[in-house]
Amino acid sequence: MNITVMITCIGGGLSAQFIQSIKASSRHNLRIVGVDTNDTPAARHFCDTFHRVPSGDAPEYFDKIKSICAQESVDLIFPCADEEALTLAAHKAELLITGTTVACNDLDLLQIFTNKLTTYKKLAQLGIELPIWKEATGQESTLSAVREIMDITGEAVVKLPTARGGRGTLVISNSLTETISFEGSRELHMNLQTFMEKHLSQLPSEPIMIMERLVEPVHDLDILSWQGQCHYLIPRKRLNSALPNEGHILIENTPMAEIGRKVAQELKTSWIFDIDFMTTKDGKPAVLEINPRASGSLSVAIAAGMPLFDDMLSLYGDEPIAPTHQSYNQIIFPYTALAKR
């Protein structure tokens, strides 16, 4: 199949690897249109053409994307950032009229996935076991929830429902005597007294999430589904929980995969997306969040021999796909390389 694909947000650390990987397809002849908010992402050199665009939540973003799609005759847009996926999902029908398909789920689903509280409420409705969690609004409610969870587990985590990448996350444990930043992440760890004195009054007035502290490492579950049917469920364990681009080990984790399967089947998902997991202290998989688009480290699974993107294109083109054997215990790691044009 000959196809022009727009890849958004190509400034990610593994974007160059991802674009090289999908262009190496033996089944599809891809022409890649890369877009990013910056002029100089390294991945632009592996695209057939490149355009700078506004941020995905900017008022002018969609008009710019629509213009590029017309100019480049784009068949398919593969969004790689949350804001872009949300904006593009809201305009799916308009783009489809002009011949461009957006490779993400519909807006109603994405709006659930981009809020941790609505995600957990939906997972609870599906009967998926969850860690201890509570919704709180205001200082009194928040402090009560924190104390209740700490009484049960000894620690508590306060999260902003729509924040990403650990932004605004506060881990509260009385084993600490000072506030620390956790292993290069955006989390702050502190004791209850520090939380009450320095952070409680700074929390937003809208509902927030309080939950038990989960156990590392973080796992990513890559899912390719089509109208609820799962074709890939690939669990990967991060070598560094705070830095997903530092490598993964592909593992076999049936409980984790079955949660992903249930989400896909019950919500009738399509395209590629991923679920982030940790575990509870008794070793059970616990959903951290469901991403509204593919993982930024999707190229890890492709490098391990899983042709998710190829098969996604085949499903989009109504072409049959063959089962792929999944190899476990592979370590996929990054290294520095050079290329020339």
Side-chain angles (χ1 to χ4, degrees), residues 201-227:
S201 64
Q202 304 302 313
L203 293 173
S205 57
E206 58 264 22
I208 60 174
M209 186 174 193
I210 299 93
M211 63 184 297
E212 67 174 289
R213 186 180 179 188
L214 301 175
V215 178
E216 295 182 355
V218 176
H219 295 71
D220 299 79
L221 177 70
D222 295 309
I223 301 173
L224 169 59
S225 60
W226 205 254
Q227 298 176 358

Side-chain angles (χ1 to χ4, degrees), residues 295-311:
S295 167
S297 53
L298 174 64
S299 54
V300 169
I302 297 174
M306 306 291 109
L308 282 85
F309 199 87
D310 254 3
D311 282 349

Side-chain angles (χ1 to χ4, degrees), residues 39 41 60 62 96 141-142 144 163 193 269 306:
D39 276 328
E60 63 272 23
F62 175 67
L96 194 57
S141 173
T142 298
S144 175
Q193 190 66 30
T269 62
M306 306 291 109

Side-chain angles (χ1 to χ4, degrees), residues 132-202:
I132 302 169
W133 70 284
K134 291 186 175 294
E135 179 179 350
T137 304
Q139 295 183 41
E140 184 177 345
S141 173
T142 298
L143 184 56
S144 175
V146 166
R147 282 177 162 153
E148 184 176 342
I149 291 176
M150 289 186 73
D151 285 344
I152 299 170
T153 69
E155 297 174 298
V157 180
V158 176
K159 292 185 175 184
L160 306 182
T162 58
R164 295 187 290 124
R167 294 174 179 87
T169 297
L170 307 176
V171 179
I172 305 162
S173 171
N174 282 331
S175 65
L176 296 174
T177 58
E178 60 181 346
T179 301
I180 59 173
S181 178
F182 179 64
E183 293 184 1
S185 77
R186 299 179 180 94
E187 296 179 2
L188 287 178
H189 293 220
M190 65 199 67
N191 58 34
L192 181 59
Q193 190 66 30
T194 300
F195 170 71
M196 290 190 296
E197 292 177 355
K198 297 185 178 181
H199 297 275
L200 182 60
S201 64
Q202 304 302 313

Side-chain angles (χ1 to χ4, degrees), residues 120 129-131 214 259 276-280 284-288:
Y120 262 43
E129 187 175 357
L130 297 170
L214 301 175
I259 290 174
D276 293 343
F277 286 88
M278 292 175 73
T279 60
T280 58
K284 295 178 181 178
V287 173
L288 274 179

